[in-house]
């Protein structure tokens, strides 16, 4: 796998930056059915449009690399490539399901979840009704691939299982976070509860730092410390109450901000700022014994 990664990076580097999506892109991929290489017939069992997955993964990898280097997120850049891959997953679903179901193809399932999660985020951030529908459609496909990925990683040898399960948990968390945000923005509050719970559990178990938390700090709105113990004891009624508080707070912020395209994002950012301010105040009070 290390040799494959080195070859992959070499080929990616040789690709012209001026034409990153051109036909001259060359990829070599290892699959359970054999190596996929330029100029060679596809091994039996590999989906006929496997090159779409290769292109999407190359864009996903180069996009993350460039964005990290530049300190920004440019996820819209390769939308067309991600969309073409998603459309093929829909049109040839059975072929892809069969491919991802093989335990030795788990890396391809993992990579596909990252691509679909990025595409879903693109649609969600657009903020219009049609984009929200497309976001949910993409998430439905990611859910299927994520389920196949889970089966494969839990069947791995013990030496590989721990790191792969950690990767699965992170992908599931990101998937649930997109679902939660989607249902909050579309006011489908009754659907948001299980996804918020999953995200709370992940951030508490992984001891995610204050700056990197997306949801755990919300517990402060219920007067609870953001701890794993409190997350585990959170009742369904409390969870729904929290979702309602978040919705009401966001609505009040939207009203004050006006009808701007980014109003939902502004509202949730304001929730985060206010809650963190309250958290710091509580900590300071404990420190001085108030």
């Amino acid at each position: 796998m290390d040799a494959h990664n080195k070859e992959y990076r070499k080929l990616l580097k040789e690709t012209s930056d001026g034409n990153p999506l051109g036909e001259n892109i060359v990829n070599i991929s290892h699959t359970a059915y054999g190596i996929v290489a330029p100029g060679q017939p596809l091994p039996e069992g590999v989906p006929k449009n496997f090159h779409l997955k290769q292109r999407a993964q190359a864009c996903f990898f180069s996009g993350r690399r460039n964005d990290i280097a530049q300190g920004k997120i440019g996820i819209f850049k390769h939308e067309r490539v991600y969309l073409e891959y998603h459309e093929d997953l829909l049109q040839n679903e059975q072929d892809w399901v069969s491919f991802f179901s093989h335990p030795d193809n788990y890396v391809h399932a993992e990579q596909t979840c990252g691509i679909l999660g990025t595409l879903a985020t693109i649609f969600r951030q657009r903020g219009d009704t049609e984009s929200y529908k497309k976001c949910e459609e993409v998430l439905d496909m990611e859910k299927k691939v994520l389920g196949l990925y889970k089966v494969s990683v839990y069947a791995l040898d013990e030496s590989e299982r721990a790191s792969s399960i950690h990767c699965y948990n992170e992908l599931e968390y990101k998937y649930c976070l997109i679902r939660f945000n989607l249902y909050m923005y579309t006011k489908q509050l009754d659907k948001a509860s299980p996804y918020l719970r999953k995200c709370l559990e992940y951030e508490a178990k992984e001891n995610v730092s204050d700056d990197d938390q997306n949801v755990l700090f919300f517990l402060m709105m219920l007067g609870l410390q953001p701890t794993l113990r409190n997350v585990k004891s959170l009742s369904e009624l409390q969870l729904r109450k929290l979702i309602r508080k978040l919705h009401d707070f966001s609505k009040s912020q939207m009203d004050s901000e006006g009808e701007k395209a980014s109003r939902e994002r502004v509202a949730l950012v304001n929730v985060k700022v206010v809650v963190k301010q309250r958290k710091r105040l509580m900590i300071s009070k404990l420190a001085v014994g108030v």
Side-chain angles (χ1 to χ4, degrees):
M1 187 60 73
D2 287 342
H4 164 59
N5 289 337
K6 289 179 180 178
E7 182 68 16
Y8 180 77
R9 286 193 293 270
K10 179 183 176 183
L11 292 170
L12 196 61
K13 185 176 181 180
E14 291 172 353
T15 301
S16 170
D17 290 336
N19 185 27
L21 308 182
E23 294 299 324
N24 61 326
I25 290 183
V26 179
N27 281 338
I28 297 176
S29 298
H30 290 256
T31 77
Y33 308 112
I35 294 178
V36 176
Q40 299 296 319
L42 282 176
E44 186 177 350
V46 175
K48 62 181 179 180
N49 290 324
F50 187 77
H51 66 281
L52 295 177
K53 187 266 172 184
Q54 290 184 319
R55 291 174 65 196
Q57 178 57 25
C59 290
F60 181 77
F61 179 82
S62 63
R64 287 185 61 188
R65 179 187 61 188
N66 293 336
D67 294 338
I68 290 171
Q70 297 172 19
K72 63 180 181 180
I73 300 176
I75 64 171
F76 291 88
K77 184 177 180 181
H78 302 304
E79 176 184 353
R80 178 173 63 83
V81 182
Y82 301 149
L83 186 57
E84 286 178 354
Y85 179 38
H86 173 251
E87 289 174 348
D88 194 70
L89 288 170
L90 291 173
Q91 293 169 10
N92 299 288
E93 182 175 333
Q94 190 52 52
D95 291 342
W96 284 105
V97 166
S98 178
F99 178 78
F100 292 135
S101 295
H102 195 296
D104 291 339
N105 286 330
Y106 75 93
V107 171
H108 296 290
E110 172 193 329
Q111 294 169 344
T112 297
C113 288
I115 293 165
L116 293 177
T118 301
L119 182 59
T121 300
I122 290 172
F123 285 133
R124 183 189 63 75
Q125 289 187 353
R126 284 226 167 85
D128 59 85
T129 302
E130 186 60 29
S131 293
Y132 284 149
K133 289 180 180 178
K134 290 180 179 179
C135 175
E136 189 154 25
E137 184 181 65
V138 174
L139 288 173
D140 288 344
M141 177 57 70
E142 184 182 358
K143 180 181 179 181
K144 295 176 183 178
V145 180
L146 195 60
L148 297 172
Y149 176 51
K150 181 179 182 179
V151 172
S152 294
V153 298
Y154 274 89
L156 289 172
D157 292 337
E158 189 174 348
S159 59
E160 297 181 82
R161 194 182 307 147
S163 60
S164 296
I165 289 176
H166 177 80
C167 184
Y168 165 78
N169 289 337
E170 183 177 359
L171 284 171
E172 182 189 43
Y173 161 71
K174 291 178 179 179
Y175 160 80
C176 289
L177 186 61
I178 300 171
R179 280 276 191 191
F180 168 67
N181 284 327
L182 174 65
Y183 291 143
M184 291 297 292
Y185 292 164
T186 55
K187 300 178 177 60
Q188 300 180 73
L189 306 187
D190 56 321
K191 294 183 178 181
S193 176
Y195 301 103
L196 176 57
R197 185 180 292 278
K198 278 282 189 180
C199 292
L200 287 168
E201 290 173 351
Y202 177 86
E203 291 188 4
K205 288 177 181 177
E206 294 296 321
N207 197 27
V208 176
S209 68
D210 286 356
D211 289 339
D212 292 329
Q213 288 174 15
N214 286 293
V215 296
L216 189 57
F217 55 86
F218 288 157
L219 289 186
M220 303 295 292
M221 299 185 78
L222 295 175
L224 299 173
Q225 289 294 323
T227 64
L228 179 58
R229 181 178 179 179
N230 284 336
V231 169
K232 287 183 175 180
S233 63
L234 203 62
S235 69
E236 187 62 25
L237 184 62
Q238 286 176 304
L239 201 59
R240 292 182 180 183
K241 181 180 179 181
L242 175 57
I243 290 172
R244 175 55 61 181
K245 280 179 172 286
L246 287 169
H247 173 265
D248 292 345
F249 187 94
S250 296
K251 186 176 183 302
S252 68
Q253 292 298 307
M254 281 189 276
D255 292 341
S256 65
E257 291 290 336
E259 296 298 321
K260 295 180 181 178
S262 61
R263 59 190 180 278
E264 286 117 337
R265 280 200 298 274
V266 170
L268 287 180
V269 167
N270 286 338
V271 170
K272 189 169 186 175
V273 170
V274 170
V275 172
K276 284 196 172 185
Q277 286 175 342
R278 291 177 182 174
K279 183 175 181 180
R280 292 190 184 98
L281 180 61
M282 289 182 68
I283 291 173
S284 65
K285 286 182 176 180
L286 288 172
V288 298
V290 175

